[in-house]
Amino acid sequence: MPHYIAPSLLASDFSKIGETCKMLDRSSADYYHLDVMDGVFVPNISFGLPVISAMRPFSEKVFDVHLMIVQPERYIEDFKKAGADILTVHYEASTHLHRTIGAIREAGMEAGVALNPHTPVRLLEDVIADVDLVCLMGVNPGFGGQKFIEHTYAKTRQLREMIDRVGGHAKIEIDGGVNLDNAPLLLQAGADVLVAGSFVFSSENPEATISALKSV
Ligand code: DX5
Ligand code: ZN
């Protein structure tokens, strides 16, 4: 199966957001990975609804919105209106995860669930059949540019096994610390979507780096 590349704009130069959109739309990127942080669930604050709405008319790609916020269920409709196609909430931030997954899908988006590095894959057993995407964090969320946690390979394999066993359709997304060294191993372990922030945007030619990740 071909894999998907989702550059994380967190690592991009926000003063050039229009140019970044043009570059990403002509690149072989599949998704825009948009990291929303509230300063409560994670110790950092990034950007939110108005920025996503402003970018929406400039892109035809899939907007993959990763909510690192508490009580994400309060904002499902707002992110739909802002232009999200995939809305991912954290397992650790969602008390009524089953209901939240249903509400995201009812709103017309794909539903994603993200797991922090300390959260075992097995906790998804009872919802996995209803989930469109699982985002396995390869770092502790909150910041770009951190070192990849090696245990993520084992989690990817466990999750692939669980999805195949229940006949689920969820894509496996890896977020944090992804680069050209670990990308082939992650894909071998069963990943479908690779998020890359600093590896793309700190490189000399982000468009070429996206192509390189896509061709792994
Ligand atoms: C981390 C974010 C990531 C981040 C990845 O909290 O969820 O999407 O931007 O950045 P890199 O690829 O630099 O680890
Ligand atoms: Zn993310």
Side-chain angles (χ1 to χ4, degrees), residues 16 20 34 46 49 59 81 84 104-105 108 122 140 144 147 154 159 165 177:
K16 297 184 180 146
T20 301
L34 299 164
S46 56
L49 291 158
S59 175
K81 281 192 202 119
I104 294 171
R105 296 179 85 181
R122 64 173 182 276
N140 284 291
K147 192 177 173 298
L159 182 57
R165 179 161 43 80

Coordinates of all heavy atoms in Angstrom, one line a residue, residues 16 20 34 46 49 59 81 84 104-105 108 122 140 144 147 154 159 165 177:
K16 N 5.6 33.2 6.6 CA 5.5 32.9 5.2 C 4.5 31.8 4.9 O 4.6 30.9 4.1 CB 6.9 32.4 4.7 CG 8.0 33.4 4.8 CD 9.3 32.9 4.2 CE 10.3 33.9 4.4 NZ 11.7 33.3 4.6
T20 N 4.3 28.7 2.1 CA 4.3 27.3 2.6 C 3.2 26.5 2.0 O 3.3 25.4 1.5 CB 4.3 27.3 4.1 OG1 5.4 28.0 4.6 CG2 4.4 25.8 4.6
L34 N -1.7 19.6 11.1 CA -1.9 20.9 11.8 C -2.0 20.7 13.3 O -3.0 20.1 13.8 CB -3.1 21.6 11.3 CG -3.0 21.9 9.7 CD1 -4.3 22.2 9.1 CD2 -2.0 23.0 9.5
S46 N 0.2 26.7 20.3 CA 0.6 26.9 18.9 C -0.4 27.8 18.2 O -0.4 29.0 18.4 CB 0.7 25.5 18.2 OG -0.5 24.8 18.3
L49 N -8.2 27.8 15.5 CA -9.2 27.9 14.5 C -9.0 29.0 13.4 O -9.1 28.7 12.2 CB -10.6 28.1 15.1 CG -11.0 26.8 15.9 CD1 -12.1 27.2 17.0 CD2 -11.6 25.8 15.0
S59 N -5.5 25.7 -0.1 CA -5.0 24.3 -0.3 C -6.2 23.4 -0.6 O -7.3 23.5 -0.2 CB -4.4 23.9 1.0 OG -4.1 22.5 0.9
K81 N -16.0 23.4 10.6 CA -16.2 24.7 9.9 C -14.9 25.3 9.4 O -14.8 25.9 8.4 CB -16.9 25.7 10.8 CG -18.4 25.4 10.9 CD -19.2 26.6 11.6 CE -20.5 26.1 12.1 NZ -20.6 26.3 13.6
A84 N -11.2 21.2 8.8 CA -10.5 19.9 9.1 C -11.2 18.8 8.3 O -12.4 18.7 8.2 CB -10.6 19.7 10.6
I104 N -17.3 13.1 15.9 CA -16.4 13.6 14.8 C -16.9 13.0 13.5 O -17.0 13.7 12.5 CB -14.9 13.1 15.1 CG1 -14.4 13.8 16.3 CG2 -14.1 13.4 13.9 CD1 -13.0 13.3 16.8
R105 N -17.3 11.8 13.5 CA -17.7 11.1 12.2 C -19.1 11.7 11.8 O -19.3 12.0 10.6 CB -17.7 9.6 12.3 CG -16.3 9.1 12.5 CD -16.3 7.6 12.7 NE -16.2 7.0 11.4 CZ -16.2 5.6 11.3 NH1 -16.2 4.9 12.3 NH2 -16.1 5.1 10.1
G108 N -18.9 14.7 9.8 CA -18.4 14.6 8.5 C -16.9 14.6 8.3 O -16.4 14.9 7.3
R122 N -3.1 -1.4 23.5 CA -4.2 -2.3 23.9 C -5.4 -1.6 24.4 O -6.5 -2.1 24.3 CB -3.7 -3.4 24.9 CG -3.3 -2.9 26.2 CD -3.1 -4.0 27.2 NE -2.7 -3.4 28.5 CZ -1.5 -3.0 28.9 NH1 -0.5 -3.2 28.0 NH2 -1.3 -2.5 30.0
N140 N 7.1 12.8 23.1 CA 6.1 13.4 24.0 C 5.6 14.7 23.4 O 6.4 15.6 23.0 CB 6.6 13.7 25.4 CG 6.8 12.4 26.2 OD1 5.8 11.8 26.6 ND2 8.0 12.0 26.4
G144 N 8.2 20.3 18.5 CA 8.9 19.7 17.4 C 10.3 19.5 17.7 O 10.8 20.0 18.7
K147 N 13.8 13.9 19.9 CA 14.4 12.6 19.5 C 13.3 11.5 19.5 O 12.5 11.4 20.4 CB 15.5 12.2 20.5 CG 16.4 11.1 20.0 CD 17.5 10.9 21.0 CE 18.3 9.6 20.7 NZ 17.5 8.4 20.7
A154 N 7.7 -1.0 18.2 CA 6.9 -2.2 18.8 C 5.4 -1.8 18.8 O 4.6 -2.6 18.5 CB 7.5 -2.5 20.2
L159 N -0.2 -2.4 17.0 CA -1.4 -1.8 16.5 C -1.8 -2.4 15.1 O -2.9 -2.7 14.9 CB -1.1 -0.3 16.3 CG -2.3 0.6 15.8 CD1 -3.5 0.4 16.7 CD2 -1.9 2.0 15.8
R165 N -6.5 -7.9 13.0 CA -7.3 -8.9 13.7 C -8.8 -8.6 13.7 O -9.6 -9.5 13.5 CB -6.7 -9.1 15.1 CG -7.5 -10.1 16.0 CD -6.6 -10.6 17.2 NE -5.9 -9.5 17.8 CZ -6.5 -8.7 18.7 NH1 -7.8 -8.8 19.0 NH2 -5.8 -7.7 19.3
G177 N 9.6 13.0 15.5 CA 11.0 12.5 15.3 C 11.1 11.6 14.1 O 12.1 10.9 14.0

